[in-house]
Amino acid sequence: MSQQATEQAHGHYIGGEWTTGDGSTFESKNPATGEPLATFQRGTEADVDAALEAAKSAFEEWCNLSYIDRAEYLWDIYHELRDRHEELGEIVSKECGKEISEGKADVTEAWHMVEWAAGNARHPHGDVVPSEVAGKDSYMRRKPRGVVGCITPWNFPVAIPFWHMAIALVEGNTVVWKPAEQTPWCGQIVAEMFEDAGIPDGVFNMVQGFGDAGAAITDDERVDTVLFTGSAEVGHEIADKVGGEPGKLAACEMGGKNGIVITEHADMDTAIHAAIMSSFKTTGQRCVSSERLIVHTDVYDEFKARFVDVAEDIAVGDPLAADTFMGPAIEADHVEKIRSYNDLAREEGATVLVDRFELEDSEIPDGHEGGHWVGPFVYEIDYEPDLRCLNEECFGPHVALLEYSGDIERAVEMHNATPYGLAGAIISEDYRQLNYFRDHAEVGLAYANLPCIGAEVQLPFGGVKKSGNGYPSAREAIEAVTERTAWTMNNTEEIEMAQGLSADIKTSED
């Protein structure tokens, strides 16, 4: 599929073939202009059924291949991602509105994940575990779970699918994937890559569509593991349903209300840089974006003045322009959600410091008047742990400044006082404060003197509390898509038991 908009309705990829379903379609639109990019078939339960049946049928043959043979298909995709880096980065920016360096970084992250998963095929798998009994050998071995259903979000439309699917496939599972309905073009290109790589029919399947198609995947008994990245509302619904099905597992990553602690020992240049990156990259539409900045009273006034000064001047514009820092919001409904949280902050007593929610006409690029434009919204508010604006995820450029006094314990107490626990950062030149945050912050991803965005694929990615269960990347994803078998073999002619258990057989004649 080229970079040009097309009138053709692109279909699903099921069992090694492109299918059209029942004829219902939907459009992908450029969030910076509102203009259509391409048309796609909308998946139904019948499409999902066909995809799951293809995946189930392909599983046995696929899992009987060696790790290395399975990984060979991914190496072709790795090279294609690298070769098409510039082109695909531009497509990501066109379809989801991220500024161009972020669009390219999304593609880079995808090939990093493919490289990690495919390279891991040649690394040791399983463990040799010592036995109490000298004549026994004990091992821990892994085997694939079966069919993996993958539901991925729009904000990382190339990277996150490969977080899910690269590992699942190398480990011997087959996949049915539903891309986000906002970014079906990226989904189409990923599916074309699998087709070009010659992956066996039914091993990889893609169904385009909306939440009903996703629910048909996650609810089906043929799905052994669900890998989900998205909203807490949907993720918790999936986890509740799947949790009641014996033998089925859901690995969900579900957003956050992330905070950055800026202590009295912070380097102020680092603090401002980290906070701006964390709050406004991807227009705040990252699960790891920071919506709370918790600042010590000794540096609060300086931090506030400098942060506000930068936020007032953040470059919002065309995602494809090199001088843009923030692109548009993803869609009109999300603009209204951001508006509602800005209004909520006012209702709960906020003092607004920056309100660029409705941009001036002069700030909107020519030809982009139909885009979903928002700007930074920054406020300060007296801290109360039960305020909704401090506990609910906005998923936009909506940032609260919170002043604290006292020691690092107080800052971390405020930081932890949300239902979420995904990402967080601390800015300080005092190593004792850094270590206290490291040990006590209730997060899955923690950073020191850095933004709380920017995960690397070889590290675990996931959260605690309402943010999820920490599975969806690297080694931890292997836990979600494989089952473990403890294998013990006796190398002697006698049976000897552990824990001193007698192996003597006694009969009534004894």
Side-chain angles (χ1 to χ4, degrees), residues 222-437:
R222 288 166 290 186
V223 174
D224 299 284
T225 290
V226 175
L227 299 180
F228 170 84
T229 301
S231 72
E233 179 183 9
V234 176
H236 293 148
E237 183 178 348
I238 291 171
D240 286 346
K241 287 182 179 178
V242 172
E245 298 182 43
K248 193 168 177 176
L249 186 150
C252 300
E253 189 275 292
M254 299 174 288
K257 189 71 173 178
N258 310 296
I260 301 179
V261 171
I262 295 103
T263 80
E264 70 275 27
H265 299 297
D267 176 89
M268 202 50 53
D269 290 341
T270 301
I272 297 298
H273 195 165
I276 291 291
M277 292 283 289
S278 299
S279 298
F280 302 128
K281 269 296 181 188
T282 325
T283 318
Q285 298 168 122
R286 290 178 179 234
C287 56
V288 291
S289 294
S290 176
E291 297 182 9
R292 299 179 302 135
L293 305 176
I294 302 160
V295 187
H296 194 276
T297 188
D298 289 355
V299 298
Y300 183 82
D301 289 342
E302 179 185 358
F303 178 87
K304 177 172 75 169
R306 292 181 61 179
F307 184 83
V308 164
D309 186 57
V310 177
E312 289 278 19
D313 202 38
I314 284 290
V316 182
D318 181 356
L320 299 179
D323 58 356
T324 292
F325 188 84
M326 261 178 57
I330 184 61
E331 56 193 359
D333 286 349
H334 194 57
V335 172
E336 292 309 307
K337 178 184 177 183
I338 296 169
R339 183 197 300 274
S340 73
Y341 275 102
N342 294 349
D343 291 344
L344 175 64
R346 290 189 179 92
E347 293 167 9
E348 293 192 314
T351 299
V352 178
L353 306 173
V354 178
D355 186 358
R356 295 176 61 196
F357 174 76
E358 294 186 0
L359 297 175
E360 300 290 336
D361 290 344
S362 60
E363 295 182 90
I364 298 173
D366 290 342
H368 291 69
E369 291 78 11
H372 310 304
W373 298 102
V374 295
F377 182 86
V378 181
Y379 61 98
E380 60 184 352
I381 193 165
D382 292 336
Y383 175 73
E384 294 179 23
D386 295 331
L387 292 174
R388 285 180 56 205
C389 66
L390 301 182
N391 283 282
E392 298 178 13
E393 183 182 36
C394 172
F395 210 64
H398 166 103
V399 186
L401 270 58
L402 305 171
E403 185 175 359
Y404 81 95
S405 59
D407 52 24
I408 187 63
E409 287 82 358
R410 175 56 178 161
V412 173
E413 178 187 3
M414 292 169 63
H415 176 276
N416 290 346
T418 80
Y420 292 97
L422 183 56
I426 179 170
I427 314 298
S428 176
E429 297 298 301
D430 183 330
Y431 79 91
R432 292 182 178 86
Q433 291 183 330
L434 299 180
N435 288 346
Y436 186 88
F437 184 88

Side-chain angles (χ1 to χ4, degrees), residues 85-94 97-106 281 318-325 327:
H85 183 214
E86 297 285 328
E87 173 203 355
L88 297 182
E90 188 172 327
I91 290 172
V92 170
S93 290
K94 281 183 177 180
K98 296 199 289 191
E99 58 88 9
I100 188 62
S101 79
E102 292 189 79
K104 293 177 182 177
D106 196 63
K281 269 296 181 188
D318 181 356
L320 299 179
D323 58 356
T324 292
F325 188 84

Side-chain angles (χ1 to χ4, degrees), residues 62 106 113 131-132 136 141 155-156 178 320 337 359 369 372 397 422 451 465 507:
W62 177 249
D106 196 63
M113 191 69 252
S131 172
E132 291 181 27
K136 290 181 181 177
R141 304 182 76 248
N155 59 341
F156 288 85
K178 192 200 83 67
L320 299 179
K337 178 184 177 183
L359 297 175
E369 291 78 11
H372 310 304
L422 183 56
K465 302 194 292 189
T507 68

